[in-house]
Amino acid sequence: MRIGEHDLDRRVFVIAEIGNNHEGSYALAEELVGLAASAGVDAVKFQTIVPERLVSNDQQDRLRQLRRFELTYGEFEKLHAVSRREGVHFLSTPFDVESAAFLTPLVPAFKIASSDNTFKPLLAVVAEAGKPILLSTGLADSPQIADSKRFIEAIWMRLGTQQELALLHCVTSYPTASSETGLLAIRYLKDTFATTVGYSDHTLGIQAGVLAVAAGARIVEKHFTIDKHHSAFRDHQLSADPQEMKELVGRIRGAEEMLGQYGKEIQPSERAVVRALRRSIVASRDLRRGH
């Protein structure tokens, strides 16, 4: 699978999920892009939310919070330009069909949140855009995942689109307890659905992201913040700060190196000693010449 020029079969794709950790400050959002790029990630990701299209009018508290965190379409266009300048991919999860249409020219792939992995109108819009889709699988069981996968692929087939879908294991709990992390689900998704797999991490710390690579994840998404104590907003505490994100990227690259390629071959360091270490035929007593 490819996202832009990035070949996921050759290198794990690491996403810094900025999400709403900018809390509506464009200046902070732009700073976070730079910090994420400095940490070595491949992409930054935001959430494009128009509060009135997501929350009903009787949820005034939630509406107020979402409006306080909202960035405009114009600001997302500027963040796309900043991301290009910093050398990272710009991604943003759309939470309504209009926002998906807006994001189409800006993103190399679409990320769908777990809350929307069965929301067919949104899936249809992103499938019709003809870009790779990263589908988080939180809140869904195997039959639901299979149904959404069939729905997307049917649209691609009808349109003659040659594109790929990645399934991201995710537990929609903030933070996710170790007992519910279930990283073997990554291997299960790969074996069951024969597609690229990844992991959207909501645990505390960075260990799960590294272990996910060992389980087969080719995409690792981790929430990213400037400071875990920036505010009382829940997502800061479960996010990686700049130092942790840099460590996570380094440990993922180290894990990739140690995992190597699928298969079993004699390594170069072994070839140098194979003659000395393999057994050979010797005589246990003197033999006559020509025996």
Side-chain angles (χ1 to χ4, degrees):
M1 181 177 185
R2 299 185 71 90
I3 298 177
E5 78 287 350
H6 191 110
D7 186 348
L8 275 66
D9 292 330
R10 298 178 62 86
R11 192 165 180 263
V12 172
F13 192 68
V14 182
I15 303 171
E17 160 68 314
I18 295 170
N20 290 313
N21 280 342
H22 51 76
E23 297 192 37
S25 167
Y26 173 78
L28 179 55
E30 188 171 307
E31 183 179 1
L32 284 165
V33 172
L35 290 170
S38 296
V41 305
D42 300 296
V44 294
K45 192 180 79 64
F46 293 89
Q47 295 178 4
T48 302
I49 298 173
V50 178
E52 293 75 17
R53 296 177 188 158
L54 181 64
V55 178
S56 63
N57 286 333
D58 61 355
Q59 294 181 285
Q60 286 298 313
D61 287 345
R62 192 174 179 206
L63 274 171
R64 276 190 290 270
Q65 182 185 43
L66 288 174
R67 286 168 181 155
R68 185 165 61 86
F69 288 2
E70 185 179 8
L71 295 176
T72 67
Y73 282 178
E75 287 172 326
F76 282 120
E77 288 174 333
K78 289 194 290 184
L79 288 170
H80 168 259
V82 170
S83 300
R84 290 187 63 180
R85 186 184 70 212
E86 294 288 349
V88 293
H89 291 289
F90 170 83
L91 301 172
S92 189
T93 297
F95 281 84
D96 61 83
V97 295
E98 292 86 353
S99 293
F102 159 73
L103 288 168
T104 297
L106 302 181
V107 298
F110 271 108
K111 165 68 191 302
I112 300 298
S114 293
S115 56
D116 286 335
N117 58 29
T118 59
F119 181 32
K120 299 292 179 64
L122 182 60
L123 296 183
V125 170
V126 298
E128 289 165 0
K131 295 175 181 283
I133 296 175
L134 317 181
L135 187 71
S136 274
T137 60
L139 306 174
D141 57 16
S142 289
Q144 290 172 318
I145 296 167
D147 180 66
S148 295
K149 183 174 183 287
R150 281 192 302 268
F151 179 81
I152 291 167
E153 291 175 342
I155 292 174
W156 283 343
M157 183 175 295
R158 173 171 57 82
L159 297 176
T161 301
Q162 298 294 316
Q163 201 46 270
E164 292 186 83
L165 170 71
L167 298 176
L168 273 57
H169 171 52
C170 177
V171 178
T172 311
S173 176
Y174 305 87
T176 302
S178 296
S179 59
E180 292 190 347
T181 301
L183 293 179
L184 285 179
I186 296 168
R187 191 180 303 167
Y188 171 81
L189 290 171
K190 182 177 177 62
D191 293 343
T192 303
F193 297 102
T195 189
T196 300
V197 293
Y199 179 52
S200 183
D201 184 13
H202 296 147
T203 65
L204 298 175
I206 62 174
Q207 182 180 19
V210 181
L211 292 174
V213 175
R218 305 307 301 167
I219 302 165
V220 174
E221 177 184 75
K222 180 68 178 177
H223 282 244
F224 182 61
T225 182
I226 193 167
D227 186 340
K228 291 176 182 291
H229 306 291
H230 181 69
S231 77
F233 179 47
R234 172 195 63 189
D235 284 16
H236 293 297
Q237 286 74 50
L238 59 87
S239 299
D241 60 23
Q243 184 57 42
E244 280 185 319
M245 186 61 77
K246 183 176 182 179
E247 183 181 352
L248 173 61
V249 172
R251 289 176 63 180
I252 285 175
R253 301 303 172 217
E256 287 183 283
E257 183 179 31
M258 293 183 76
L259 287 166
Q261 300 299 312
Y262 184 81
K264 184 68 176 79
E265 297 180 353
I266 300 172
Q267 296 300 314
S269 58
E270 294 179 301
R271 295 184 188 280
V273 297
V274 65
R275 183 178 178 87
L277 296 181
R278 286 291 191 202
R279 293 182 183 272
S280 56
I281 298 173
V282 299
S284 60
R285 57 184 171 80
D286 289 343
L287 301 176
R288 67 179 182 277
R289 186 184 298 274
H291 184 279

